[in-house]
Amino acid sequence: MIRPSMLPGLAGILLASGAGAADLPRRAAPPLPPAPPVFTWTGFYVGANAGYGFRGGASSYTDATYGTVTESGGKGGFVGGGQIGYNYQLTPGSGWVLGAEADIQGTGFGRRGDGTIGATPYYGVSPSLDWFGTVRGRLGYAFDRWLVYGTGGFAYGGGSRSPYAASYPYTLPDTARIGYALGGGVEYALTDHISVKVEGLYVDLGRRGTGTTVYDATVPAYYGTGRSESGFGVVRGGLNYKF
């Protein structure tokens, strides 16, 4: 039982306890974890690609002198190679991305245009397209790790002469070709350094019309430059490593 005479002493004890508690150090709240860095496409990159190339146009045409020429062989085939480039993202996270890319490709579809004129063999003497390359600008918009872009620029290519070229008495087209490339694609960054893409290009290396055709009765066969449809499409997938 608390007596009235004990109240002053109890009050003193309570005051002393409160003062001691006020002197104890306060525990600070733990710091927040650092925010993860915002992804950016800015940087140099190298990579490899593979896909399918295909030519357009009809498989036959009419020669002014000899009649209907039917080209043989497929119009599509493998395309593969490598690329190097640089991107600059104006605002990290989401925003516009400017870039430049150069690539070099080997082809499996750019054979010369052999065929027939009626039932007689026709040997194309135009050079094949064994490889091509492009130097292009890129403009895209990034949605964090997704990048949608368009691309366009300079294209070049070359190949080898036909084994029948020595039998042809006229000037033949040169093996080197230049033109342009246009297209677009979608790229996704799997990590901060590795990305994958799907891209489509139209490449035109200078359209040539139907050339001279010569009949050789000793074979018998026709030789000629035929019709060279130098425009073709490419659909390819790629893998890039960003430094």
Side-chain angles (χ1 to χ4, degrees), residues 205-225:
L205 295 176
R207 185 182 298 274
R208 297 183 179 91
T210 303
T212 305
T213 305
V214 177
Y215 179 69
D216 184 348
T218 62
V219 176
Y222 293 93
Y223 299 92
T225 54

Side-chain angles (χ1 to χ4, degrees), residues 24-32:
L24 294 175
R26 295 183 178 179
R27 182 174 297 177
L32 296 175

Side-chain angles (χ1 to χ4, degrees), residues 74-234:
K75 288 184 172 293
F78 173 79
V79 173
Q83 66 270 356
I84 184 171
Y86 179 79
N87 289 320
Y88 179 75
Q89 187 167 348
L90 301 181
T91 55
S94 295
W96 292 102
V97 177
L98 306 176
E101 182 175 286
D103 67 272
I104 187 75
Q105 308 290 128
T107 73
F109 66 90
R111 295 177 295 175
R112 64 183 188 277
D114 292 351
T116 59
I117 299 180
T120 306
Y122 172 88
Y123 297 108
V125 294
S126 292
S128 62
L129 177 65
D130 300 331
W131 60 271
F132 73 93
T134 68
V135 179
R136 295 170 283 107
R138 301 207 312 173
L139 174 62
Y141 194 87
F143 302 90
D144 191 27
R145 292 180 178 270
W146 287 95
L147 175 64
V148 181
Y149 63 89
T151 183
F154 174 74
Y156 58 97
S160 55
R161 290 195 179 279
S162 164
Y164 303 104
S167 303
Y168 194 74
Y170 299 100
T171 302
L172 296 173
D174 190 77
T175 57
R177 310 169 202 183
I178 58 174
Y180 66 90
L182 297 171
V186 178
E187 192 166 356
Y188 178 71
L190 299 173
T191 70
D192 288 349
H193 298 286
I194 298 176
S195 63
V196 292
K197 69 175 182 178
V198 176
E199 182 176 73
L201 288 178
Y202 174 77
V203 182
D204 194 308
L205 295 176
R207 185 182 298 274
R208 297 183 179 91
T210 303
T212 305
T213 305
V214 177
Y215 179 69
D216 184 348
T218 62
V219 176
Y222 293 93
Y223 299 92
T225 54
R227 182 187 56 180
S228 177
E229 294 286 351
S230 53
F232 56 91
V234 175

